[in-house]
């Protein structure tokens, strides 16, 4: 089975014929490699389409400039694929992992994750990385002969590593490391862009951070004085380019000095996908700024609290009337605790699906 780039993959990339088995054996496809099929299965699943209507940081009430989970995912995928090709890694696996990485997020941004975790603590808790695995292994129902998407071992292991990444142990494949890094670079740049567009932070405030100041200086040198809107967009682009370029160079150097000759070598080495130390430190400074001023700023925090309360209330309403949960969710696992079933159902909702359910169950009079 020939996949694009098969002949130029580095020896430390996951090779096209090393995708590993599927839980339910299937015949090979006529012209797509197993990893290309995985990518397509993720692309065509219902949870992927729902990303279009799920909040990344800002809900739909904020207008239509900012990123949704879907556009965030596509930005991560594009960035990770470009870097995968430049580093001679497996682009098909990288794309599949990128498209899958945020499938498990509940509606209404990060407020939802904490609430669902508290409510389901006694049955194992909730986190979005684990939920993405649950979606691709159990919740999606697209094939008559097996539950989930029946993905290859390499694809599942990538997401399993994300779900367990705070534990000790070996490094993941470079493709997994790359998607993780691309996710972080993408949201740093686009969250700053979105926050500025919506007026949650001011341009001068972002100039408190080194990374932003440096990107601003690069833009000034190249374009001279610009009005604020074009300047902002040019700086976001310069920032993204700086971080992605920095990642490419530092990772190329790390690979050249560590000299892995196989995936097994990579797994035994400290992570090789990285930024140089100075850029990493500046990146952390920008993330600290975004955390304090945006993610935990008064405006986002206020809507976050309201959403958390409503999410908890909606789960409680379904627990009181579990017959309102669609049969397909109750059939995911015969002996599942009703809390897990309610959490699965609510977590799969889009923001607007959640709002419709809220109006139906909690606010039938339409007061808010
Ligand atoms: Mg993400």
């Amino acid at each position: 089975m020939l996949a694009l780039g098969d002949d130029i993959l580095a020896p430390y990339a996951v090779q096209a014929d090393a995708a590993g088995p599927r839980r339910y054996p299937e015949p090979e496809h006529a012209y797509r490699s197993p990893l290309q099929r995985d990518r397509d299965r993720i692309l065509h699943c219902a949870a992927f389409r729902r990303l279009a209507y799920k909040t990344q940081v800002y809900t739909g009430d904020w207008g239509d400039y900012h990123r949704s989970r879907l556009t965030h995912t596509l930005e991560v995928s594009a960035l990770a694929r470009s870097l995968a090709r430049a580093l001679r890694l497996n682009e098909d696996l990288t794309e599949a992992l990128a498209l899958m990485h945020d499938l498990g997020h509940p509606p209404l941004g990060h407020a939802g994750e904490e609430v669902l975790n508290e409510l389901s603590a006694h049955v194992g808790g909730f986190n979005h990385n684990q939920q993405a695995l649950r979606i691709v292994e159990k919740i999606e129902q697209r094939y008559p002969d097996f539950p989930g998407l029946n993905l290859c071992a390499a694809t599942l292991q990538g997401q399993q590593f994300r779900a367990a990444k705070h534990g000790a142990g070996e490094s993941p494949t470079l493709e997994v490391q790359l998607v993780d890094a691309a996710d972080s670079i993408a949201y740093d740049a686009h969250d700053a862009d979105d926050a500025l567009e919506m007026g949650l932070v001011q341009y001068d405030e972002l100039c408190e951070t080194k990374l932003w100041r440096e990107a601003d200086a690069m833009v000034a040198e190249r374009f001279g004085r610009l009005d604020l809107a074009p300047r902002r967009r040019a700086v976001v682009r310069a920032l993204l380019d700086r971080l992605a370029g920095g990642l490419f160079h530092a990772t190329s150097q790390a690979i050249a000095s560590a000299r892995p000759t196989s995936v097994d070598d990579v797994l035994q080495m400290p992570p090789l996908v990285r930024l140089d130390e100075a850029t990493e430190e500046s990146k952390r400074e920008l993330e600290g700024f975004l955390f304090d001023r945006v993610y935990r700023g008064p405006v986002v925090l206020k809507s976050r609290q309201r959403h958390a309360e409503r999410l908890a209330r909606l789960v409680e309403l379904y627990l009181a009337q579990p017959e309102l949960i669609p049969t397909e969710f109750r059939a995911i696992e015969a002996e599942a605790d009703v809390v897990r079933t309610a959490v699965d159902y609510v977590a799969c909702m889009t923001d607007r699906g959640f709002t419709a359910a809220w109006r139906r169950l909690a606010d039938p009079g339409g007061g808010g």
Side-chain angles (χ1 to χ4, degrees), residues 60-213:
D61 312 340
W62 292 86
D64 52 14
Y65 177 87
H66 60 275
R67 276 71 174 177
S68 67
R69 288 229 180 263
L70 180 64
T71 60
H72 160 72
T73 296
L74 296 175
E75 289 187 28
V76 172
S77 175
L79 181 55
R81 285 180 60 195
S82 297
L83 288 164
R85 202 180 296 183
L87 293 163
R88 298 169 58 215
L89 300 178
N90 191 316
E91 189 178 336
D92 294 332
L93 175 59
T94 301
E95 184 177 16
L97 292 171
L99 296 182
M100 175 168 55
H101 89 281
D102 270 352
L103 283 187
H105 275 292
L108 303 171
H110 283 277
E113 180 154 24
E114 283 168 24
V115 167
L116 297 181
N117 187 37
E118 283 165 24
L119 289 170
S120 62
H122 63 292
V123 289
F126 178 94
N127 80 68
H128 72 272
N129 286 319
Q130 198 66 47
Q131 189 69 7
L133 277 174
R134 211 171 145 71
I135 286 170
V136 300
E137 293 189 292
K138 293 183 175 164
I139 296 179
E140 283 289 329
Q141 300 294 334
R142 287 183 53 79
Y143 303 89
D145 41 357
F146 50 76
L149 306 180
N150 199 30
L151 302 176
C152 296
T155 313
L156 284 178
Q157 281 161 8
Q159 187 62 27
Q160 279 158 359
F161 187 86
R162 282 183 74 85
K165 68 180 163 188
H166 298 300
E170 59 185 19
S171 295
T173 61
L174 292 175
E175 287 80 0
V176 175
Q177 295 180 36
L178 185 56
V179 170
D180 210 32
D183 183 24
S184 170
I185 288 174
Y187 63 62
D188 285 349
H190 68 49
D191 288 352
D193 183 31
D194 289 349
L196 276 168
E197 173 73 22
M198 289 184 280
L200 293 178
V201 292
Q202 301 306 310
Y203 195 94
D204 291 346
E205 294 178 290
L206 264 162
C207 286
E208 292 168 24
T209 68
K210 187 164 180 252
L211 213 48
W212 193 269
R213 272 198 312 277

Side-chain angles (χ1 to χ4, degrees), residues 284-338:
R284 273 199 299 272
E285 183 200 25
L286 175 65
E287 287 168 352
F289 175 93
L290 290 171
F291 188 87
D292 293 340
R293 308 286 182 90
V294 180
Y295 312 141
R296 290 291 183 274
V299 180
V300 171
L301 209 56
K302 193 174 159 212
S303 78
R304 188 182 166 110
Q305 278 160 353
R306 188 170 66 104
H307 291 142
E309 285 161 17
R310 289 190 168 192
L311 217 92
R313 178 82 185 118
L314 194 68
V315 172
E316 281 163 13
L317 287 167
Y318 281 116
L319 290 177
Q321 297 171 274
E323 68 280 4
L324 295 181
I325 300 173
T327 323
E328 62 193 274
F329 281 89
R330 286 186 272 154
I332 292 168
E333 284 168 316
E335 326 76 56
D337 188 290
V338 65

Side-chain angles (χ1 to χ4, degrees), residues 54-55 105-112 116 311 346-351 354:
K54 288 195 172 192
T55 291
H105 275 292
L108 303 171
H110 283 277
L116 297 181
L311 217 92
V346 172
C348 279
M349 289 177 179
T350 60
D351 290 8
F354 176 89

